[in-house]
Amino acid sequence: MAERPGSRHHSLYKLMGSPPWKEAFRQGCLERMRNSRDRLLSKYRQAGGSMSGGAQNTLLVQEVMEEEWNALQSVESWPQAWAQLEEPMDLAVLEEIQQELIDQEQSIISEYEKSLQFDEQCLSVMLAEWEANPLICPVCTKYNLRIAGGLVVCQCGLYIQSHSAEVTEQKLRTCLEDSVNEHSAHCPHTPEFSVTEGTEEKSCLLMSCLACDTWAVIL
Protein backbone atom coordinates (compact mmCIF):
# COMPACT_ATOMS: atom_id res chain seq x y z
CA MET A 1 0.00 0.00 0.00
CA ALA A 2 1.37 3.43 -0.90
CA GLU A 3 2.55 5.56 2.00
CA ARG A 4 0.23 8.48 2.64
CA PRO A 5 1.67 11.99 2.03
CA GLY A 6 3.24 13.32 5.19
CA SER A 7 3.35 9.90 6.85
CA ARG A 8 7.16 10.03 7.22
CA HIS A 9 6.80 13.27 9.13
CA HIS A 10 3.90 11.82 11.10
CA SER A 11 6.04 8.86 12.16
CA LEU A 12 8.44 11.27 13.78
CA TYR A 13 5.55 12.71 15.75
CA LYS A 14 4.37 9.25 16.86
CA LEU A 15 7.68 7.70 17.83
CA MET A 16 9.62 10.43 19.55
CA GLY A 17 9.58 10.18 23.31
CA SER A 18 10.75 11.52 26.63
CA PRO A 19 12.48 14.87 27.30
CA PRO A 20 16.03 13.39 27.06
CA TRP A 21 15.23 12.24 23.54
CA LYS A 22 13.80 15.61 22.72
CA GLU A 23 17.05 17.33 23.70
CA ALA A 24 19.26 14.79 21.89
CA PHE A 25 17.19 15.11 18.73
CA ARG A 26 17.06 18.91 19.05
CA GLN A 27 20.82 19.32 19.48
CA GLY A 28 21.50 16.90 16.61
CA CYS A 29 19.15 18.79 14.27
CA LEU A 30 20.62 22.19 15.14
CA GLU A 31 24.18 20.95 14.62
CA ARG A 32 23.21 19.28 11.35
CA MET A 33 21.66 22.55 10.12
CA ARG A 34 24.82 24.49 11.03
CA ASN A 35 26.96 21.96 9.15
CA SER A 36 24.63 22.16 6.14
CA ARG A 37 25.11 25.90 5.57
CA ASP A 38 26.62 25.47 2.09
CA ARG A 39 23.84 23.10 1.06
CA LEU A 40 21.20 25.52 2.36
CA LEU A 41 22.67 28.52 0.53
CA SER A 42 22.97 26.48 -2.65
CA LYS A 43 19.24 25.70 -2.45
CA TYR A 44 18.53 29.35 -1.68
CA ARG A 45 20.43 30.51 -4.77
CA GLN A 46 18.69 27.89 -6.90
CA ALA A 47 15.35 29.24 -5.64
CA GLY A 48 16.29 32.64 -7.01
CA GLY A 49 17.34 34.20 -3.73
CA SER A 50 13.83 34.48 -2.33
CA MET A 51 11.44 32.40 -0.26
CA SER A 52 8.11 32.86 1.47
CA GLY A 53 7.63 32.44 5.18
CA GLY A 54 6.09 29.43 6.85
CA ALA A 55 7.22 25.89 7.58
CA GLN A 56 5.92 24.61 4.25
CA ASN A 57 8.31 26.92 2.40
CA THR A 58 11.51 26.13 4.26
CA LEU A 59 14.43 24.91 2.21
CA LEU A 60 16.18 22.35 4.42
CA VAL A 61 14.30 21.96 7.71
CA GLN A 62 12.38 18.80 6.82
CA GLU A 63 15.45 17.15 5.29
CA VAL A 64 17.53 17.92 8.38
CA MET A 65 14.92 16.48 10.72
CA GLU A 66 14.55 13.28 8.69
CA GLU A 67 18.32 12.85 8.31
CA GLU A 68 18.88 13.28 12.05
CA TRP A 69 16.03 10.87 12.84
CA ASN A 70 17.56 8.25 10.54
CA ALA A 71 20.96 8.84 12.14
CA LEU A 72 19.50 8.22 15.60
CA GLN A 73 18.07 4.90 14.47
CA SER A 74 21.45 3.78 13.13
CA VAL A 75 23.43 4.13 16.37
CA GLU A 76 24.48 0.94 18.15
CA SER A 77 22.42 1.71 21.25
CA TRP A 78 19.21 2.15 19.24
CA PRO A 79 17.48 -1.17 20.28
CA GLN A 80 17.83 -0.29 23.96
CA ALA A 81 16.88 3.32 23.36
CA TRP A 82 13.83 2.34 21.33
CA ALA A 83 12.41 0.56 24.35
CA GLN A 84 12.52 3.83 26.29
CA LEU A 85 10.37 5.73 23.80
CA GLU A 86 6.89 6.75 24.75
CA GLU A 87 3.92 6.53 22.36
CA PRO A 88 1.98 8.54 21.40
CA MET A 89 3.80 11.83 21.77
CA ASP A 90 2.60 15.44 21.84
CA LEU A 91 3.11 17.01 18.41
CA ALA A 92 4.19 20.20 20.16
CA VAL A 93 7.60 18.68 20.90
CA LEU A 94 8.60 18.27 17.24
CA GLU A 95 6.84 21.48 16.24
CA GLU A 96 9.00 23.30 18.77
CA ILE A 97 12.18 21.77 17.31
CA GLN A 98 10.95 22.48 13.79
CA GLN A 99 10.42 26.15 14.66
CA GLU A 100 13.94 26.39 16.09
CA LEU A 101 15.29 25.00 12.81
CA ILE A 102 13.18 27.44 10.79
CA ASP A 103 14.59 30.32 12.86
CA GLN A 104 18.14 29.01 12.37
CA GLU A 105 17.62 28.57 8.63
CA GLN A 106 16.31 32.11 8.29
CA SER A 107 19.21 33.42 10.39
CA ILE A 108 21.76 31.77 8.06
CA ILE A 109 20.02 33.23 5.01
CA SER A 110 19.78 36.68 6.61
CA GLU A 111 23.51 36.62 7.39
CA TYR A 112 24.24 35.63 3.79
CA GLU A 113 22.04 38.45 2.44
CA LYS A 114 23.82 40.99 4.65
CA SER A 115 27.14 39.73 3.29
CA LEU A 116 25.89 40.22 -0.27
CA GLN A 117 24.71 43.74 0.54
CA PHE A 118 28.12 44.57 1.99
CA ASP A 119 29.85 43.25 -1.14
CA GLU A 120 27.52 45.33 -3.32
CA GLN A 121 28.31 48.45 -1.28
CA CYS A 122 32.05 47.81 -1.57
CA LEU A 123 31.68 47.35 -5.31
CA SER A 124 29.72 50.60 -5.66
CA VAL A 125 32.33 52.52 -3.65
CA MET A 126 35.17 51.07 -5.72
CA LEU A 127 33.50 51.99 -9.03
CA ALA A 128 32.62 55.46 -7.75
CA GLU A 129 36.25 56.09 -6.73
CA TRP A 130 37.48 54.99 -10.13
CA GLU A 131 35.08 57.37 -11.86
CA ALA A 132 35.60 60.41 -9.61
CA ASN A 133 39.33 60.27 -8.84
CA PRO A 134 42.67 59.56 -10.48
CA LEU A 135 42.87 55.83 -11.15
CA ILE A 136 43.19 53.99 -7.83
CA CYS A 137 45.37 50.89 -7.73
CA PRO A 138 42.96 47.91 -7.75
CA VAL A 139 45.44 45.76 -5.79
CA CYS A 140 45.99 47.97 -2.73
CA THR A 141 42.96 50.30 -3.27
CA LYS A 142 45.00 53.00 -1.53
CA TYR A 143 47.41 54.75 -3.91
CA ASN A 144 47.00 56.17 -7.39
CA LEU A 145 48.43 54.32 -10.37
CA ARG A 146 51.03 56.01 -12.54
CA ILE A 147 51.05 55.07 -16.21
CA ALA A 148 53.65 56.14 -18.74
CA GLY A 149 55.20 54.49 -21.77
CA GLY A 150 53.32 51.26 -21.20
CA LEU A 151 54.59 51.00 -17.60
CA VAL A 152 52.03 50.76 -14.78
CA VAL A 153 53.35 51.33 -11.26
CA CYS A 154 52.04 51.98 -7.75
CA GLN A 155 53.62 52.88 -4.41
CA CYS A 156 52.36 49.55 -3.04
CA GLY A 157 54.89 47.74 -5.22
CA LEU A 158 52.78 47.02 -8.27
CA TYR A 159 55.00 47.10 -11.36
CA ILE A 160 53.68 45.93 -14.71
CA GLN A 161 55.21 46.39 -18.13
CA SER A 162 52.16 46.43 -20.40
CA HIS A 163 52.12 44.32 -23.53
CA SER A 164 50.99 47.49 -25.30
CA ALA A 165 52.85 50.77 -25.07
CA GLU A 166 49.60 52.54 -25.92
CA VAL A 167 47.93 51.78 -22.58
CA THR A 168 46.58 54.92 -20.92
CA GLU A 169 44.84 55.68 -17.66
CA GLN A 170 41.50 55.97 -19.43
CA LYS A 171 41.92 52.67 -21.29
CA LEU A 172 42.89 50.85 -18.11
CA ARG A 173 40.03 52.48 -16.19
CA THR A 174 37.54 51.36 -18.85
CA CYS A 175 38.97 47.85 -18.87
CA LEU A 176 38.72 47.58 -15.08
CA GLU A 177 35.15 48.89 -14.98
CA ASP A 178 34.02 46.62 -17.81
CA SER A 179 35.59 43.57 -16.15
CA VAL A 180 34.03 44.32 -12.76
CA ASN A 181 30.61 44.99 -14.28
CA GLU A 182 30.77 41.82 -16.36
CA HIS A 183 31.62 39.80 -13.26
CA SER A 184 28.89 41.42 -11.15
CA ALA A 185 26.33 40.44 -13.81
CA HIS A 186 26.62 36.78 -12.73
CA CYS A 187 28.20 36.95 -9.24
CA PRO A 188 27.26 39.28 -6.35
CA HIS A 189 30.65 39.03 -4.61
CA THR A 190 33.44 41.58 -4.93
CA PRO A 191 36.38 40.31 -7.00
CA GLU A 192 40.02 40.72 -5.95
CA PHE A 193 42.99 41.94 -7.95
CA SER A 194 46.55 40.64 -7.86
CA VAL A 195 49.74 40.65 -9.89
CA THR A 196 51.32 37.50 -11.27
CA GLU A 197 55.06 37.26 -10.87
CA GLY A 198 56.26 35.50 -14.01
CA THR A 199 59.90 34.65 -14.70
CA GLU A 200 59.71 34.05 -18.42
CA GLU A 201 56.66 36.17 -19.17
CA LYS A 202 55.80 39.70 -18.10
CA SER A 203 53.78 40.26 -14.95
CA CYS A 204 50.02 40.51 -15.43
CA LEU A 205 47.18 42.14 -13.54
CA LEU A 206 44.57 39.49 -12.65
CA MET A 207 41.01 39.77 -11.41
CA SER A 208 39.75 36.70 -9.53
CA CYS A 209 36.80 35.63 -7.40
CA LEU A 210 36.90 32.70 -4.99
CA ALA A 211 33.11 32.68 -4.67
CA CYS A 212 32.44 31.82 -8.32
CA ASP A 213 35.91 30.39 -9.08
CA THR A 214 36.65 32.67 -12.03
CA TRP A 215 39.60 34.76 -13.09
CA ALA A 216 40.49 37.13 -15.92
CA VAL A 217 43.63 38.86 -17.16
CA ILE A 218 43.10 42.63 -17.06
CA LEU A 219 46.50 43.82 -18.20
Short mmCIF file of all heavy atoms in Angstrom, two decimals, residues 164-217:
data_model
loop_
_atom_site.label_atom_id
_atom_site.label_comp_id
_atom_site.label_asym_id
_atom_site.label_seq_id
_atom_site.Cartn_x
_atom_site.Cartn_y
_atom_site.Cartn_z
N SER A 164 51.22 46.43 -24.32
CA SER A 164 50.99 47.49 -25.30
C SER A 164 51.49 48.82 -24.75
O SER A 164 51.11 49.22 -23.64
CB SER A 164 49.50 47.60 -25.64
OG SER A 164 49.24 48.74 -26.44
N ALA A 165 52.33 49.49 -25.50
CA ALA A 165 52.85 50.77 -25.07
C ALA A 165 51.79 51.87 -25.15
O ALA A 165 52.00 52.98 -24.65
CB ALA A 165 54.06 51.16 -25.93
N GLU A 166 50.64 51.55 -25.75
CA GLU A 166 49.60 52.54 -25.92
C GLU A 166 48.60 52.56 -24.77
O GLU A 166 47.62 53.30 -24.81
CB GLU A 166 48.83 52.26 -27.23
CG GLU A 166 49.70 52.34 -28.48
CD GLU A 166 48.90 52.02 -29.73
OE1 GLU A 166 47.70 51.69 -29.59
OE2 GLU A 166 49.47 52.12 -30.83
N VAL A 167 48.84 51.80 -23.71
CA VAL A 167 47.93 51.78 -22.58
C VAL A 167 47.93 53.16 -21.91
O VAL A 167 48.98 53.78 -21.73
CB VAL A 167 48.31 50.69 -21.57
CG1 VAL A 167 49.67 50.95 -20.94
CG2 VAL A 167 47.24 50.58 -20.48
N THR A 168 46.74 53.63 -21.60
CA THR A 168 46.58 54.92 -20.92
C THR A 168 45.72 54.72 -19.68
O THR A 168 45.10 53.67 -19.49
CB THR A 168 45.90 55.95 -21.84
OG1 THR A 168 44.56 55.48 -22.14
CG2 THR A 168 46.68 56.14 -23.12
N GLU A 169 45.67 55.77 -18.86
CA GLU A 169 44.84 55.68 -17.66
C GLU A 169 43.38 55.44 -18.01
O GLU A 169 42.71 54.63 -17.38
CB GLU A 169 44.97 56.97 -16.85
CG GLU A 169 44.12 56.98 -15.58
CD GLU A 169 44.27 58.25 -14.77
OE1 GLU A 169 45.43 58.67 -14.56
OE2 GLU A 169 43.24 58.81 -14.35
N GLN A 170 42.89 56.12 -19.05
CA GLN A 170 41.50 55.97 -19.43
C GLN A 170 41.21 54.57 -19.96
O GLN A 170 40.17 53.97 -19.65
CB GLN A 170 41.12 57.01 -20.49
CG GLN A 170 39.64 57.00 -20.87
CD GLN A 170 38.72 57.18 -19.67
OE1 GLN A 170 38.96 58.05 -18.82
NE2 GLN A 170 37.69 56.35 -19.57
N LYS A 171 42.12 54.02 -20.76
CA LYS A 171 41.92 52.67 -21.29
C LYS A 171 41.92 51.64 -20.18
O LYS A 171 41.10 50.71 -20.18
CB LYS A 171 43.01 52.35 -22.31
CG LYS A 171 42.86 53.09 -23.64
CD LYS A 171 43.95 52.67 -24.61
CE LYS A 171 43.78 53.37 -25.95
NZ LYS A 171 44.84 52.98 -26.93
N LEU A 172 42.84 51.80 -19.22
CA LEU A 172 42.89 50.85 -18.11
C LEU A 172 41.66 51.00 -17.22
O LEU A 172 41.09 50.00 -16.75
CB LEU A 172 44.17 51.05 -17.29
CG LEU A 172 44.36 50.12 -16.10
CD1 LEU A 172 44.27 48.65 -16.53
CD2 LEU A 172 45.70 50.39 -15.41
N ARG A 173 41.23 52.24 -16.99
CA ARG A 173 40.03 52.48 -16.19
C ARG A 173 38.81 51.78 -16.83
O ARG A 173 38.04 51.10 -16.16
CB ARG A 173 39.76 53.97 -16.06
CG ARG A 173 38.56 54.31 -15.17
CD ARG A 173 38.15 55.78 -15.35
NE ARG A 173 39.25 56.67 -15.05
CZ ARG A 173 39.53 57.12 -13.82
NH1 ARG A 173 38.78 56.74 -12.80
NH2 ARG A 173 40.54 57.93 -13.63
N THR A 174 38.66 51.97 -18.13
CA THR A 174 37.54 51.36 -18.85
C THR A 174 37.60 49.84 -18.78
O THR A 174 36.58 49.17 -18.58
CB THR A 174 37.53 51.80 -20.32
OG1 THR A 174 37.40 53.23 -20.39
CG2 THR A 174 36.39 51.16 -21.08
N CYS A 175 38.79 49.30 -18.92
CA CYS A 175 38.97 47.85 -18.87
C CYS A 175 38.61 47.30 -17.50
O CYS A 175 37.94 46.26 -17.38
CB CYS A 175 40.41 47.49 -19.23
SG CYS A 175 40.72 45.72 -19.33
N LEU A 176 39.03 48.00 -16.44
CA LEU A 176 38.72 47.58 -15.08
C LEU A 176 37.21 47.63 -14.82
O LEU A 176 36.63 46.69 -14.28
CB LEU A 176 39.45 48.47 -14.06
CG LEU A 176 40.95 48.23 -13.91
CD1 LEU A 176 41.60 49.36 -13.12
CD2 LEU A 176 41.22 46.89 -13.22
N GLU A 177 36.58 48.73 -15.21
CA GLU A 177 35.15 48.89 -14.98
C GLU A 177 34.35 47.85 -15.76
O GLU A 177 33.40 47.26 -15.23
CB GLU A 177 34.71 50.31 -15.38
CG GLU A 177 35.25 51.39 -14.45
CD GLU A 177 34.87 52.79 -14.90
OE1 GLU A 177 34.30 52.92 -16.02
OE2 GLU A 177 35.12 53.74 -14.15
N ASP A 178 34.73 47.62 -17.01
CA ASP A 178 34.02 46.62 -17.81
C ASP A 178 34.16 45.23 -17.20
O ASP A 178 33.19 44.44 -17.17
CB ASP A 178 34.56 46.62 -19.25
CG ASP A 178 34.17 47.86 -20.02
OD1 ASP A 178 33.28 48.60 -19.54
OD2 ASP A 178 34.76 48.10 -21.10
N SER A 179 35.36 44.90 -16.73
CA SER A 179 35.59 43.57 -16.15
C SER A 179 34.80 43.38 -14.87
O SER A 179 34.20 42.32 -14.64
CB SER A 179 37.09 43.37 -15.87
OG SER A 179 37.84 43.44 -17.06
N VAL A 180 34.78 44.41 -14.02
CA VAL A 180 34.03 44.32 -12.76
C VAL A 180 32.54 44.22 -13.03
O VAL A 180 31.83 43.42 -12.41
CB VAL A 180 34.35 45.54 -11.86
CG1 VAL A 180 33.40 45.58 -10.67
CG2 VAL A 180 35.78 45.47 -11.36
N ASN A 181 32.04 45.04 -13.96
CA ASN A 181 30.61 44.99 -14.28
C ASN A 181 30.20 43.66 -14.90
O ASN A 181 29.12 43.12 -14.61
CB ASN A 181 30.25 46.14 -15.24
CG ASN A 181 30.25 47.49 -14.54
OD1 ASN A 181 29.95 47.58 -13.35
ND2 ASN A 181 30.62 48.54 -15.26
N GLU A 182 31.06 43.11 -15.75
CA GLU A 182 30.77 41.82 -16.36
C GLU A 182 30.70 40.72 -15.31
O GLU A 182 29.84 39.84 -15.35
CB GLU A 182 31.83 41.48 -17.40
CG GLU A 182 31.60 40.16 -18.12
CD GLU A 182 32.68 39.84 -19.15
OE1 GLU A 182 33.51 40.72 -19.43
OE2 GLU A 182 32.68 38.71 -19.67
N HIS A 183 31.62 40.79 -14.34
CA HIS A 183 31.62 39.80 -13.26
C HIS A 183 30.38 39.95 -12.38
O HIS A 183 29.75 38.96 -12.01
CB HIS A 183 32.89 39.96 -12.41
CG HIS A 183 32.89 39.12 -11.17
ND1 HIS A 183 32.47 39.61 -9.94
CD2 HIS A 183 33.23 37.82 -10.95
CE1 HIS A 183 32.56 38.66 -9.03
NE2 HIS A 183 33.01 37.57 -9.62
N SER A 184 30.03 41.20 -12.04
CA SER A 184 28.89 41.42 -11.15
C SER A 184 27.57 41.02 -11.80
O SER A 184 26.57 40.83 -11.11
CB SER A 184 28.82 42.90 -10.74
OG SER A 184 28.58 43.73 -11.86
N ALA A 185 27.55 40.84 -13.13
CA ALA A 185 26.33 40.44 -13.81
C ALA A 185 25.94 39.00 -13.47
O ALA A 185 24.78 38.62 -13.57
CB ALA A 185 26.50 40.59 -15.32
N HIS A 186 26.93 38.19 -13.06
CA HIS A 186 26.62 36.78 -12.73
C HIS A 186 27.06 36.38 -11.34
O HIS A 186 26.79 35.26 -10.89
CB HIS A 186 27.29 35.85 -13.75
CG HIS A 186 28.79 35.88 -13.74
ND1 HIS A 186 29.52 35.16 -12.83
CD2 HIS A 186 29.69 36.54 -14.51
CE1 HIS A 186 30.81 35.37 -13.03
NE2 HIS A 186 30.94 36.20 -14.05
N CYS A 187 27.75 37.28 -10.60
CA CYS A 187 28.20 36.95 -9.24
C CYS A 187 28.11 38.19 -8.36
O CYS A 187 28.62 39.25 -8.73
CB CYS A 187 29.65 36.43 -9.27
SG CYS A 187 30.31 36.05 -7.61
N PRO A 188 27.45 38.11 -7.20
CA PRO A 188 27.26 39.28 -6.35
C PRO A 188 28.47 39.62 -5.48
O PRO A 188 28.47 40.66 -4.82
CB PRO A 188 26.07 38.87 -5.47
CG PRO A 188 26.20 37.38 -5.37
CD PRO A 188 26.73 36.92 -6.70
N HIS A 189 29.49 38.79 -5.48
CA HIS A 189 30.65 39.03 -4.61
C HIS A 189 31.66 39.97 -5.27
O HIS A 189 31.74 40.06 -6.50
CB HIS A 189 31.32 37.70 -4.25
CG HIS A 189 30.46 36.81 -3.42
ND1 HIS A 189 30.40 36.88 -2.06
CD2 HIS A 189 29.58 35.83 -3.78
CE1 HIS A 189 29.55 35.97 -1.60
NE2 HIS A 189 29.04 35.33 -2.62
N THR A 190 32.44 40.63 -4.44
CA THR A 190 33.44 41.58 -4.93
C THR A 190 34.71 40.83 -5.34
O THR A 190 35.27 40.10 -4.53
CB THR A 190 33.79 42.61 -3.85
OG1 THR A 190 32.59 43.29 -3.44
CG2 THR A 190 34.80 43.62 -4.37
N PRO A 191 35.17 41.01 -6.57
CA PRO A 191 36.38 40.31 -7.00
C PRO A 191 37.64 40.95 -6.39
O PRO A 191 37.60 42.08 -5.89
CB PRO A 191 36.36 40.50 -8.52
CG PRO A 191 35.64 41.79 -8.72
CD PRO A 191 34.58 41.84 -7.64
N GLU A 192 38.74 40.23 -6.44
CA GLU A 192 40.02 40.72 -5.95
C GLU A 192 41.00 40.85 -7.10
O GLU A 192 40.88 40.17 -8.13
CB GLU A 192 40.59 39.78 -4.89
CG GLU A 192 39.72 39.65 -3.64
CD GLU A 192 40.34 38.72 -2.60
OE1 GLU A 192 41.35 38.04 -2.95
OE2 GLU A 192 39.83 38.67 -1.47
N PHE A 193 41.98 41.72 -6.92
CA PHE A 193 42.99 41.94 -7.95
C PHE A 193 44.37 41.59 -7.40
O PHE A 193 44.67 41.82 -6.23
CB PHE A 193 42.97 43.40 -8.42
CG PHE A 193 41.71 43.77 -9.16
CD1 PHE A 193 40.60 44.23 -8.47
CD2 PHE A 193 41.63 43.65 -10.54
CE1 PHE A 193 39.43 44.58 -9.15
CE2 PHE A 193 40.47 43.97 -11.22
CZ PHE A 193 39.37 44.45 -10.52
N SER A 194 45.20 41.03 -8.25
CA SER A 194 46.55 40.64 -7.86
C SER A 194 47.46 40.71 -9.08
O SER A 194 46.99 40.84 -10.21
CB SER A 194 46.55 39.23 -7.26
OG SER A 194 46.06 38.30 -8.21
N VAL A 195 48.75 40.60 -8.81
CA VAL A 195 49.74 40.65 -9.89
C VAL A 195 50.48 39.33 -9.94
O VAL A 195 50.97 38.84 -8.91
CB VAL A 195 50.74 41.81 -9.68
CG1 VAL A 195 51.81 41.79 -10.77
CG2 VAL A 195 50.01 43.14 -9.68
N THR A 196 50.54 38.72 -11.11
CA THR A 196 51.32 37.50 -11.27
C THR A 196 52.79 37.86 -11.37
O THR A 196 53.16 38.87 -11.96
CB THR A 196 50.90 36.74 -12.54
OG1 THR A 196 51.19 37.56 -13.69
CG2 THR A 196 49.43 36.40 -12.51
N GLU A 197 53.62 37.03 -10.82
CA GLU A 197 55.06 37.26 -10.87
C GLU A 197 55.69 36.20 -11.76
O GLU A 197 56.12 35.15 -11.31
CB GLU A 197 55.67 37.21 -9.46
CG GLU A 197 55.15 38.28 -8.52
CD GLU A 197 55.56 39.68 -8.95
OE1 GLU A 197 56.52 39.81 -9.73
OE2 GLU A 197 54.91 40.65 -8.52
N GLY A 198 55.70 36.45 -13.06
CA GLY A 198 56.26 35.50 -14.01
C GLY A 198 57.75 35.67 -14.18
O GLY A 198 58.29 36.76 -14.03
N THR A 199 58.45 34.59 -14.47
CA THR A 199 59.90 34.65 -14.70
C THR A 199 60.19 34.78 -16.19
O THR A 199 61.03 35.57 -16.60
CB THR A 199 60.57 33.38 -14.15
OG1 THR A 199 59.93 32.23 -14.71
CG2 THR A 199 60.45 33.34 -12.63
N GLU A 200 59.48 34.00 -16.98
CA GLU A 200 59.71 34.05 -18.42
C GLU A 200 58.80 35.06 -19.10
O GLU A 200 59.18 35.70 -20.08
CB GLU A 200 59.48 32.66 -19.03
CG GLU A 200 60.43 31.59 -18.50
CD GLU A 200 60.17 30.25 -19.14
OE1 GLU A 200 59.24 30.17 -19.97
OE2 GLU A 200 60.89 29.29 -18.82
N GLU A 201 57.59 35.22 -18.59
CA GLU A 201 56.66 36.17 -19.17
C GLU A 201 56.54 37.40 -18.29
O GLU A 201 56.93 37.40 -17.12
CB GLU A 201 55.28 35.51 -19.34
CG GLU A 201 55.29 34.31 -20.26
CD GLU A 201 53.89 33.73 -20.44
OE1 GLU A 201 52.96 34.27 -19.80
OE2 GLU A 201 53.74 32.78 -21.20
N LYS A 202 56.00 38.48 -18.86
CA LYS A 202 55.80 39.70 -18.10
C LYS A 202 54.71 39.50 -17.05
O LYS A 202 53.83 38.68 -17.20
CB LYS A 202 55.40 40.84 -19.04
CG LYS A 202 56.47 41.21 -20.07
CD LYS A 202 55.98 42.32 -20.96
CE LYS A 202 57.04 42.70 -21.99
NZ LYS A 202 56.57 43.78 -22.91
N SER A 203 54.81 40.31 -15.99
CA SER A 203 53.78 40.26 -14.95
C SER A 203 52.44 40.71 -15.53
O SER A 203 52.40 41.53 -16.45
CB SER A 203 54.17 41.16 -13.78
OG SER A 203 55.38 40.71 -13.18
N CYS A 204 51.36 40.18 -14.97
CA CYS A 204 50.02 40.51 -15.43
C CYS A 204 49.14 40.93 -14.25
O CYS A 204 49.36 40.50 -13.11
CB CYS A 204 49.37 39.32 -16.13
SG CYS A 204 50.17 38.81 -17.66
N LEU A 205 48.17 41.76 -14.53
CA LEU A 205 47.18 42.14 -13.54
C LEU A 205 45.99 41.20 -13.69
O LEU A 205 45.38 41.13 -14.76
CB LEU A 205 46.74 43.59 -13.74
CG LEU A 205 45.64 44.11 -12.79
CD1 LEU A 205 46.12 44.08 -11.35
CD2 LEU A 205 45.21 45.52 -13.20
N LEU A 206 45.65 40.47 -12.61
CA LEU A 206 44.57 39.49 -12.65
C LEU A 206 43.40 39.94 -11.78
O LEU A 206 43.60 40.54 -10.72
CB LEU A 206 45.05 38.13 -12.15
CG LEU A 206 46.08 37.37 -12.98
CD1 LEU A 206 46.40 36.04 -12.29
CD2 LEU A 206 45.58 37.12 -14.39
N MET A 207 42.21 39.63 -12.23
CA MET A 207 41.01 39.77 -11.41
C MET A 207 40.49 38.36 -11.14
O MET A 207 40.34 37.57 -12.07
CB MET A 207 39.93 40.58 -12.14
CG MET A 207 38.67 40.80 -11.30
SD MET A 207 37.32 41.63 -12.20
CE MET A 207 36.72 40.26 -13.21
N SER A 208 40.22 38.04 -9.88
CA SER A 208 39.75 36.70 -9.53
C SER A 208 38.66 36.79 -8.48
O SER A 208 38.54 37.79 -7.76
CB SER A 208 40.91 35.84 -9.01
OG SER A 208 41.49 36.44 -7.86
N CYS A 209 37.88 35.71 -8.39
CA CYS A 209 36.80 35.63 -7.40
C CYS A 209 36.73 34.21 -6.88
O CYS A 209 36.49 33.27 -7.65
CB CYS A 209 35.47 36.06 -8.02
SG CYS A 209 34.07 35.91 -6.88
N LEU A 210 36.95 34.03 -5.58
CA LEU A 210 36.90 32.70 -4.99
C LEU A 210 35.47 32.18 -4.93
O LEU A 210 35.24 30.98 -5.00
CB LEU A 210 37.49 32.75 -3.57
CG LEU A 210 38.99 33.02 -3.47
CD1 LEU A 210 39.41 33.12 -2.01
CD2 LEU A 210 39.79 31.94 -4.18
N ALA A 211 34.50 33.10 -4.81
CA ALA A 211 33.11 32.68 -4.67
C ALA A 211 32.60 31.94 -5.90
O ALA A 211 31.91 30.93 -5.79
CB ALA A 211 32.22 33.88 -4.36
N CYS A 212 32.93 32.46 -7.10
CA CYS A 212 32.44 31.82 -8.32
C CYS A 212 33.56 31.11 -9.08
O CYS A 212 33.33 30.62 -10.18
CB CYS A 212 31.74 32.84 -9.22
SG CYS A 212 32.80 34.16 -9.85
N ASP A 213 34.78 31.12 -8.51
CA ASP A 213 35.91 30.39 -9.08
C ASP A 213 36.19 30.82 -10.52
O ASP A 213 36.29 30.00 -11.41
CB ASP A 213 35.64 28.88 -9.01
CG ASP A 213 36.91 28.07 -9.31
OD1 ASP A 213 38.01 28.58 -9.05
OD2 ASP A 213 36.79 26.92 -9.79
N THR A 214 36.31 32.14 -10.71
CA THR A 214 36.65 32.67 -12.03
C THR A 214 37.83 33.60 -11.93
O THR A 214 38.14 34.13 -10.87
CB THR A 214 35.46 33.44 -12.65
OG1 THR A 214 35.12 34.54 -11.80
CG2 THR A 214 34.25 32.54 -12.84
N TRP A 215 38.50 33.81 -13.04
CA TRP A 215 39.60 34.76 -13.09
C TRP A 215 39.71 35.32 -14.50
O TRP A 215 39.24 34.71 -15.47
CB TRP A 215 40.92 34.13 -12.66
CG TRP A 215 41.38 32.99 -13.52
CD1 TRP A 215 41.05 31.69 -13.41
CD2 TRP A 215 42.24 33.09 -14.66
NE1 TRP A 215 41.64 30.94 -14.37
CE2 TRP A 215 42.39 31.76 -15.17
CE3 TRP A 215 42.91 34.12 -15.30
CZ2 TRP A 215 43.17 31.49 -16.28
CZ3 TRP A 215 43.70 33.84 -16.42
CH2 TRP A 215 43.82 32.53 -16.90
N ALA A 216 40.33 36.50 -14.62
CA ALA A 216 40.49 37.13 -15.92
C ALA A 216 41.75 37.99 -15.91
O ALA A 216 42.09 38.61 -14.88
CB ALA A 216 39.28 37.99 -16.26
N VAL A 217 42.47 38.01 -17.03
CA VAL A 217 43.63 38.86 -17.16
C VAL A 217 43.17 40.25 -17.58
O VAL A 217 42.50 40.41 -18.60
CB VAL A 217 44.61 38.29 -18.22
CG1 VAL A 217 45.80 39.23 -18.41
CG2 VAL A 217 45.09 36.90 -17.80
#
